[in-house]
């Protein structure tokens, strides 16, 4: 009797915890398939709970009949209940694997886009730099280093240097 009481208390606590978890899960968004799987689990749980209660009730009056019920009714009900939970777990694992694959593909695609945008930005920067350099050369009349050298010689007082210009300068 003490062992039975202890087992019943543990079962009651576990059932309460399962009910609490089920309520949390019911409030979460689910796909149609998940709704069906949860419904099956709920039905299997009711069958299992009824078989379990029947075994405990029978145990009080006829322990041998209770043992027979365990084999004929409780164990199959428990196996069905666990199988239903495993089906949900398998479905959710498959969904997680799909999300992981999609996320990995998206990350790879984003990496390619980022590299492409970097190359485009680099080419655009080179193009703008070339335009600016040509514009400066045209305004200075030649290479900036050559113009700087001539300006330095003149600033140092050397007015004998010849300045080579291009046509149109």
């Amino acid at each position: 009797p003490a062992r039975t009481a202890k087992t019943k208390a543990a079962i009651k606590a576990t059932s309460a915890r399962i009910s609490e978890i089920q309520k949390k899960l019911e409030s979460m968004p689910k796909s149609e398939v998940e709704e069906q799987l949860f419904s099956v689990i709920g039905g299997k749980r009711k069958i299992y709970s009824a078989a379990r209660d029947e075994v405990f009730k029978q145990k009080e009056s006829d322990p041998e009949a209770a043992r027979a019920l365990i084999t004929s009714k409780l164990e199959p009900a428990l196996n069905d209940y666990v199988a239903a939970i495993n089906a949900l777990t398998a479905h959710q694992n498959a969904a997680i694997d799909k999300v992981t694959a999609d996320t990995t593909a998206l990350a790879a695609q984003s990496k390619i886009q980022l590299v492409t945008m970097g190359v485009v930005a680099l080419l655009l920067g080179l193009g703008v730099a070339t335009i600016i350099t040509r514009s400066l050369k045209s305004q200075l009349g030649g290479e900036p280093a050559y113009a700087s050298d001539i300006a330095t010689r003149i600033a140092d007082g050397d007015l004998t240097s010849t300045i080579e210009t291009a046509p149109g300068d």
Side-chain angles (χ1 to χ4, degrees):
R3 185 174 174 197
T4 300
K6 186 175 179 181
T7 301
K8 282 183 178 181
I11 289 172
K12 185 176 181 180
T14 301
S15 290
R17 178 73 177 126
I18 291 170
S19 294
E20 180 183 314
I21 291 169
Q22 268 186 315
K23 284 181 185 176
K24 285 181 184 178
L25 291 173
E26 286 172 3
S27 68
M28 294 179 168
K30 294 179 267 320
S31 69
E32 189 175 314
V33 172
E34 288 171 330
E35 285 284 352
Q36 291 171 352
L37 290 170
F38 275 105
S39 177
V40 169
I41 289 170
K44 299 292 182 184
R45 182 176 181 216
K46 286 178 185 174
I47 293 168
Y48 165 74
S49 295
R52 183 192 63 212
D53 293 344
E54 186 179 349
V55 166
F56 277 114
K57 186 176 180 183
Q58 187 67 39
K59 186 177 180 194
E60 292 172 6
S61 62
D62 186 358
E64 272 310 305
R67 281 190 198 95
L69 275 177
I70 289 172
T71 305
S72 67
K73 222 173 185 182
L74 183 64
E75 286 177 356
L78 177 59
N79 291 338
D80 288 347
Y81 181 35
V82 171
I85 292 170
N86 288 339
L88 175 64
T89 302
H91 173 76
Q92 289 178 332
N93 284 337
I96 289 168
D97 290 344
K98 184 182 180 325
V99 168
T100 301
D102 291 350
T103 302
T104 302
L106 183 60
Q109 185 181 15
S110 296
K111 189 184 243 183
I112 290 169
Q113 288 177 344
L114 186 60
V115 169
T116 302
M117 288 178 10
V119 169
V120 167
L122 180 64
L123 292 175
L124 186 61
L126 286 173
V128 170
T130 301
I131 291 170
I132 290 172
T133 301
R134 283 187 179 169
S135 174
L136 285 174
K137 279 185 181 182
S138 133
Q139 289 176 3
L140 293 173
E143 283 292 324
Y146 179 69
S148 174
D149 183 48
I150 298 289
T152 301
R153 280 195 241 153
I154 292 172
D156 289 342
D158 180 7
L159 301 178
T160 61
S161 301
T162 54
I163 301 172
E164 297 176 21
T165 61
D169 284 349

